[in-house]
Amino acid sequence: MKYQSQQVAKLYFLGALLIFSLQIVFGLAGATLYIAPTSIPVDLLPFSVIRMVHTNALIVWLLMGFFGCTYFLLPEETENELYSPFLAKLQFWIFLGAAVVAVVGYLTGHYDGRSYLEQPMFIKVGIVIVALMFLFNCTMTALRGRKTVITNILLMGLWGIAIFFLFAFYLPANVVIDKMFWWWVVHLWVEGVWELVMAAILAFLLIKLTGIDREIVEKWLYVIIGMALFTGILGTGHHYYWIGTPGYWQWIGSIFGGLEPLPFFLIVLFSFTMVRKGGRDHPNRAALLWSLGCSVMAFLGAGVWGFMHTLSWVNYYTHGTQLTAAHGHLAFYGAYAMINLAMFTYAMPLLLGRPPYNQSLNIWSFWILTSGVVVMTLALTGAGIMQTYLERGLGEEYMDVQQQITAFYWVRLGGGVMVTLGLVLYLFALLVPGRSPATS
């Protein structure tokens, strides 16, 4: 490892994995309640709180992972140490503390009512402070060192995350306007600026793992991010269909939402082309597998499953069904969880000063974890199709339909158990220094 300040990233990786584990625990609890509603007393832990912790833990661990990935790759891209490792460590503890306080608040009934933005106001202020510390540290590091396309795109995405989060503070009295700007945080994060962060981290990994020429990577990156922003910004319109906005959003949302799979398809082509042209036999096979898997699963989850119900005349019937949950699970896992896990897999051996270790175990964790998410996605897709037909097509009552699709929820729970097993294997492979590639 060239730069000592990269060690800061280890804190973020460990914190992200801790919160990821919390997310999975609450996900299993929520999935259990779908098939056994009285298994957890509602006075002790209502489903609404379980879902809240599950979704918020997802956002927090992904962001914490992005922070750690940035602190690892930035010194290598800029060819100098971080501007302030102390500030990076302080930022971590403030962010982790805010996350813990927020979870305690959710469990004790202290939260805002806006989905995904349930954090109390003082926690939102704390998040802004953390973001400013992070952006100051990263920007100063970038200004002092080598300028690369990867650094520029990464910082553009990270600044976009911070800027669009400010709309979480905008609370108009008109519910339609409120919902419109709520999507400016939720959609323009995950289907806009987060894609820039993902593409930059993936490009860094492919350069390191394949040895491909940087100029080739940069040309691909410009095309990918241009397409991502072009489709993602106006693609926000596919969330405006039924919230009270003018009818022209049905056309804008359908057209540009329908184009959103294109940047993810380009990422698949980009990843496999870089591996084919690079020709390097890197010893960290697991990191390369996670990187390629990220591109494929992101295309399937965010692209194919997103397109499945993005057109307005389809969404009219499928809106709010389990198809949305199917898309959400596969898209978040493929696009963002897997890029974090890929970087953790690549970076941890370097941070520990060891050759890549537990390769076979890490590869097994990839297949089990990914298969578990696929099982969950297929189960929720089946449930969503049946729900749409019975509820929206035949007009049956919601609770009657839920009873008829319980079998799909059992399969979804089985997928969740697979995900849990895969995560346990991944944690063991990553955190327990074991055998080198030659012996694993």
Side-chain angles (χ1 to χ4, degrees), residues 17-29 50 53-59 61-62 329 332 337:
L17 289 171
L18 175 64
I19 299 172
F20 184 21
S21 302
L22 178 71
Q23 182 210 349
I24 298 303
V25 169
F26 276 82
L28 281 175
I50 291 174
V53 175
H54 178 63
T55 55
N56 278 261
L58 168 70
I59 301 299
W61 92 260
L62 292 179
H329 279 80
F332 270 106

Side-chain angles (χ1 to χ4, degrees), residues 39-103:
S39 58
I40 301 175
V42 68
D43 293 336
L44 177 66
L45 198 58
F47 177 82
S48 60
V49 173
I50 291 174
R51 177 187 178 277
M52 195 185 308
V53 175
H54 178 63
T55 55
N56 278 261
L58 168 70
I59 301 299
V60 170
W61 92 260
L62 292 179
L63 287 176
M64 190 170 284
F66 290 164
F67 292 160
C69 293
T70 302
Y71 281 138
F72 181 83
L73 72 83
L74 202 57
E76 295 202 20
E77 285 295 301
T78 60
E79 297 183 339
N80 71 43
E81 298 284 0
L82 291 175
Y83 178 77
S84 175
F86 169 78
L87 194 62
K89 293 177 183 176
L90 179 62
Q91 173 208 333
F92 169 79
W93 291 112
I94 293 175
F95 191 36
L96 183 63
V100 171
V101 171
V103 169

